[in-house]
Amino acid sequence: SKTVITFGTFDVFHIGHLNILQRASTLGGRLVVGISSDALNIEKKQRAPVYSQQERMAIVSQIKGVSEVFLEESLEAKAGYLRQYQAQILVMGDDWKGRFDHFSDLCEVVYFARTPSVSTTSIIEVVKAI
Ligand code: C2G
């Protein structure tokens, strides 16, 4: 059976995160999830996640269908992670459509439609307004 890999921050875990992990887990027998580190978020998004990397890894590791989590410390290390975990399928949401196509020499690349109208940013805005 196949090893599926996906990556993300999974901050303030929500239904969009659950949906993509559940869909990814149906593609193979093993689902490995790379959790973007706090440092990577600060560098790429100029904002620290609400939940720490330890908390985000603890949450995602307990989601049904997730076999293993690891810390994604660099966006440039993706090919290395794909090889390290012997991934046969890379899953990402379609906000990343096309941007991982060059990994198709290493594994199958699949983009799933994002769950509409939910994001960590929108949740932060809603909570701020309370
Ligand atoms: N997602 C989704 N629907 C939403 C929100 C998110 O399907 N409404 C998906 C995203 O497309 C992504 C995953 O959930 O595949 C995690 O989302 P983020 O935490 O926002 O991940 P991101 O910071 O984009 O990942 O190497 C990539 C990096 O780790 C960045």
Side-chain angles (χ1 to χ4, degrees):
S1 94
K2 290 185 175 176
T3 295
V4 182
I5 196 166
T6 192
F7 296 86
T9 305
F10 299 99
D11 191 26
V12 188
F13 195 89
H14 59 64
I15 191 71
H17 296 148
L18 185 64
N19 286 340
I20 194 163
L21 292 176
Q22 294 199 323
R23 290 186 70 187
S25 77
T26 65
L27 295 181
R30 173 177 177 239
L31 173 60
V32 179
V33 185
I35 308 288
S36 303
S37 70
D38 292 340
L40 187 54
N41 274 271
I42 292 164
E43 179 193 329
K44 300 287 173 186
K45 298 184 182 175
Q46 280 78 50
R47 178 175 74 70
V50 176
Y51 296 162
S52 71
Q53 60 194 31
Q54 288 85 353
E55 292 167 333
R56 294 181 286 109
M57 289 178 81
I59 291 166
V60 173
S61 71
Q62 294 304 313
I63 297 298
K64 195 184 288 181
V66 173
S67 311
E68 217 175 307
V69 299
F70 69 94
L71 201 59
E72 179 194 29
E73 300 196 74
S74 161
L75 293 181
E76 289 69 43
K78 240 181 213 76
Y81 294 132
L82 297 176
R83 289 196 191 91
Q84 184 181 342
Y85 291 96
Q86 299 188 3
Q88 283 144 306
I89 307 176
L90 168 62
V91 168
M92 288 304 294
D94 64 3
D95 46 327
W96 293 92
K97 198 167 186 100
R99 292 174 54 191
F100 295 116
D101 288 356
H102 55 286
F103 294 122
S104 56
D105 55 339
L106 289 175
C107 63
E108 189 183 336
V109 182
V110 175
Y111 303 97
F112 283 140
R114 274 171 70 92
T115 301
S117 29
V118 58
S119 69
T120 300
T121 309
S122 71
I123 293 167
I124 290 171
E125 290 308 313
V126 168
V127 174
K128 259 187 197 166
I130 291 173

